Amino acid sequence: MGTSASRVDRREGSARAGRAISIAAVVVGALLAAIAFFVLGRAVLDALLYSDEVPVSTSKPAETDALAVTVDPDDPSTSTLDVSGRSFGVSVDDGGTARFYRMAAEGDATDATELVAVSGDPAGMAYTGGMFYAVVNVGEGYEVWACSDSQGALATCVSSGPGRVVAVGLEQGVLTLEGERGVLASLSLDGDDA
């Protein structure tokens, strides 16, 4: 008796299918092993090469903080600008001089360092790129004074114009001075423009 041709074909087909499954399993296993080896090798290499590096901070350093505040015309001494552990404030003396100063955050104003002293009504303060800006209404116009946030720096008038400032804003390096009827000026404080 001989084996029928259909049985032989089925056996050969089953054997081929078994071999194909075995080969596929070996290929998939080899790929998974290669991926695991790559990931593990990369982790070990990174640990060896970069273990002494300090993690990079995602927060902005103090020098890039950009803030502005409008000074309360009724009580200027209540207006403060807080920037990374320092506070900036203003007071007006009996002679009408606006004195802008820097002190430690939550510090005592008697221990403050004066940055800008100018005759006029304080209108606003701004800080960006390590520079402090004081906005003052003088007569029927305004002046913007700039001072480096460092010991012994001298203040310089960087802009002046007609109109009284009622609000200040700072966005993307541009100081906006608003009057009662709209924007009086937009000053770029980036680079050497200030």
Side-chain angles (χ1 to χ4, degrees):
M1 277 182 116
T3 309
S4 74
S6 64
R7 270 192 201 169
V8 171
D9 287 341
R10 275 188 254 147
R11 283 186 202 156
E12 286 178 10
S14 294
R16 272 190 243 140
R19 280 192 297 260
I21 291 173
S22 296
I23 290 172
V26 169
V27 168
V28 168
L31 285 174
L32 289 175
I35 291 170
F37 179 76
F38 176 76
V39 170
L40 183 61
R42 177 70 185 210
V44 169
L45 185 62
D46 285 348
L48 291 174
L49 292 177
Y50 304 110
S51 64
D52 293 338
E53 287 189 4
V54 176
V56 176
S57 172
T58 57
S59 65
K60 293 181 178 180
E63 302 317 316
T64 60
D65 287 341
L67 302 168
V69 66
T70 300
V71 173
D72 181 354
D74 296 325
D75 190 2
S77 63
T78 61
S79 302
T80 59
L81 180 65
D82 297 317
V83 181
S84 299
R86 296 180 305 280
S87 287
F88 298 90
V90 61
S91 62
V92 179
D93 66 18
D94 294 336
T97 299
R99 298 184 182 280
F100 294 86
Y101 55 86
R102 176 189 65 230
M103 63 183 173
E106 300 177 14
D108 184 2
T110 59
D111 296 330
T113 301
E114 187 175 287
L115 299 173
V116 178
V118 61
S119 293
D121 301 320
M125 297 178 277
Y127 184 94
T128 184
M131 294 291 289
F132 173 77
Y133 297 88
V135 182
V136 182
N137 287 316
V138 180
E140 294 301 314
Y142 67 86
E143 294 178 344
V144 179
W145 291 77
C147 181
S148 173
D149 184 21
S150 61
Q151 287 297 104
L154 296 176
T156 304
C157 184
V158 294
S159 181
S160 62
R164 293 186 60 81
V165 175
V166 296
V168 298
L170 180 63
E171 190 171 327
Q172 297 179 347
V174 176
L175 178 64
T176 303
L177 307 178
E178 293 184 33
E180 292 178 353
R181 295 183 184 159
V183 175
L184 295 173
S186 294
L187 309 171
S188 175
L189 303 181
D190 292 334
D192 298 327
D193 298 340

